[in-house]
Amino acid sequence: MKRLVTAALLALGAGAAQAEDVTLQLKWVTQAQFAGYYVAQAKGFYEEEGLNVTILPGGPDVAPTQVIAGGGADVVVDWMPSALAAREKGLALVNIAQPFKSSGMMLTCLKESGVTSPADFKGKTLGVWFGGNEYPFLNWMNKLGLKTDGTDVTVLKQGFNVDPLLQKQAACISTMTYNEYWQVIDGGIPADKLVVFKYSDQGVATMEDGLYVMEDKLKDPAFVDKMAKFVAASMKGWEWARKNPKDAAKIVLDNDASGAQTE
């Protein structure tokens, strides 16, 4: 019996040693935007695929493209415009999965600024995220025939907060349906005092939150197999999160080391 127990323990040890390591770099801080990955980790979906996944939160000083270029991650979450811009500069990124099928990006404006339609943007200050996130905005302004050099609109390089709107430094700011818009509401500006323009409604939305890897890594069949397992487990996590949103939110909060997030 002792030999059988020892053999079983050795087998378990061997199985654990064979788990494949995967490092995922997120685009932003721990929040529901990445719930599927945290759920997959917490519910053991990655472990079921024989993976040991490390999830690295992002932030204002973290560029996923730079992290993967430096070998700090196997796979990153990024937006397609950012990935395409990086590829154009020589960083050969490839999209291996697209969990988000629609854009959550919006321009949220103060009603008192006089903006009621895109035709009212001229002469206004608009908050815009950069770091690869500005391309949909620039495309939109080009479509409207508005110059962004201050001639038609003034572009305010927006930090990852909503202060420019709360402090009335801009008529409109960039927001996401699942984050900054609600920060504006929490900041004391009710919905009836706001005008919202969804990029998807304006015909300028681009794909967001895709999973990207380095192209040369895909020449390795073992890496391709590992990423296939990672994607399968991640999508299982997303499906679980969709069916169990409150429990998924709790899992996200459990992973928020900053303590800044709320349910």
Side-chain angles (χ1 to χ4, degrees), residues 3 9 22 34 37-38 45 60-61 68 72 80 87 96 103 107 118 167 178 186 194 209 217 226 236 255 257:
R3 285 197 297 272
L9 290 173
V22 175
F34 311 111
Y37 311 111
Y38 287 115
F45 299 154
D61 300 320
I68 198 169
M80 190 167 288
R87 188 174 177 90
I96 61 169
S103 169
L107 208 59
Q167 298 170 8
Y178 48 76
D186 289 343
L194 300 170
D209 283 39
K217 289 287 194 72
K226 183 167 68 172
K236 189 175 180 180
N255 283 276

Side-chain angles (χ1 to χ4, degrees), residues 3 10 16 22 63 69 73 81 98 102 115 136 143 165 207-208 255 262:
R3 285 197 297 272
L10 288 172
V22 175
Q98 188 60 50
S102 59
V115 175
K143 182 180 178 182
L165 200 71
M207 300 303 284
E208 298 163 0
N255 283 276
T262 64

Side-chain angles (χ1 to χ4, degrees), residues 123-150:
K124 300 297 192 296
T125 296
L126 310 178
V128 180
W129 290 319
F130 281 75
N133 301 332
E134 70 272 25
Y135 299 111
F137 170 81
L138 295 175
N139 179 30
W140 188 8
M141 294 303 106
N142 183 62
K143 182 180 178 182
L144 293 171
L146 296 174
K147 296 179 180 179
T148 57
D149 58 1

Side-chain angles (χ1 to χ4, degrees), residues 28-34 60 104 106 108-110 129 158-167 173-191 194 196 256 258 260-263:
W28 190 235
V29 298
T30 301
Q31 59 182 23
Q33 179 181 0
F34 311 111
M106 309 187 296
T108 296
C109 309
L110 286 171
W129 290 319
Q158 183 181 332
F160 287 88
N161 57 54
V162 298
D163 291 348
L165 200 71
L166 299 180
Q167 298 170 8
I173 61 169
S174 299
T175 61
M176 301 302 291
T177 56
Y178 48 76
N179 188 345
E180 291 80 13
Y181 174 78
W182 299 102
Q183 289 183 29
V184 173
I185 300 296
D186 289 343
I189 304 178
L194 300 170
V196 174
D256 176 33
S258 72
Q261 303 295 343
T262 64
E263 187 176 358

Side-chain angles (χ1 to χ4, degrees), residues 26-247:
L26 303 181
K27 185 173 178 63
W28 190 235
V29 298
T30 301
Q31 59 182 23
Q33 179 181 0
F34 311 111
Y37 311 111
Y38 287 115
V39 166
Q41 188 178 58
K43 303 302 290 185
F45 299 154
Y46 289 136
E47 187 177 2
E48 290 172 4
E49 292 286 355
L51 302 177
N52 175 38
V53 177
T54 299
I55 302 175
L56 303 177
D61 300 320
V62 178
T65 52
Q66 293 180 7
V67 173
I68 198 169
D74 299 296
V75 56
V76 300
V77 176
D78 207 353
W79 290 4
M80 190 167 288
S82 174
L84 288 173
R87 188 174 177 90
E88 188 175 23
K89 294 175 182 176
L91 186 65
L93 292 176
V94 173
N95 182 310
I96 61 169
Q98 188 60 50
F100 281 28
K101 69 177 182 179
S102 59
S103 169
M105 196 171 185
M106 309 187 296
L107 208 59
T108 296
C109 309
L110 286 171
K111 190 175 287 186
E112 67 181 62
S113 71
V115 175
T116 60
S117 75
D120 300 319
F121 289 155
K122 191 169 184 178
K124 300 297 192 296
T125 296
L126 310 178
V128 180
W129 290 319
F130 281 75
N133 301 332
E134 70 272 25
Y135 299 111
F137 170 81
L138 295 175
N139 179 30
W140 188 8
M141 294 303 106
N142 183 62
K143 182 180 178 182
L144 293 171
L146 296 174
K147 296 179 180 179
T148 57
D149 58 1
T151 304
D152 294 325
V153 299
T154 299
V155 174
L156 173 67
K157 190 173 182 179
Q158 183 181 332
F160 287 88
N161 57 54
V162 298
D163 291 348
L165 200 71
L166 299 180
Q167 298 170 8
K168 300 182 180 180
Q169 298 169 339
C172 311
I173 61 169
S174 299
T175 61
M176 301 302 291
T177 56
Y178 48 76
N179 188 345
E180 291 80 13
Y181 174 78
W182 299 102
Q183 289 183 29
V184 173
I185 300 296
D186 289 343
I189 304 178
D192 62 1
K193 300 292 185 183
L194 300 170
V195 179
V196 174
F197 302 97
K198 293 184 177 180
Y199 276 58
S200 56
D201 293 339
Q202 304 301 319
V204 292
T206 54
M207 300 303 284
E208 298 163 0
D209 283 39
L211 292 173
Y212 292 85
V213 301
M214 296 296 294
E215 185 174 22
D216 60 348
K217 289 287 194 72
L218 295 175
K219 297 175 183 177
D220 179 4
F223 181 80
V224 172
D225 181 64
K226 183 167 68 172
M227 286 298 101
K229 294 175 183 176
F230 173 76
V231 169
S234 296
M235 296 310 293
K236 189 175 180 180
W238 276 116
E239 187 61 25
W240 192 95
R242 285 205 319 151
K243 293 178 179 178
N244 306 275
K246 289 190 176 182
D247 290 335

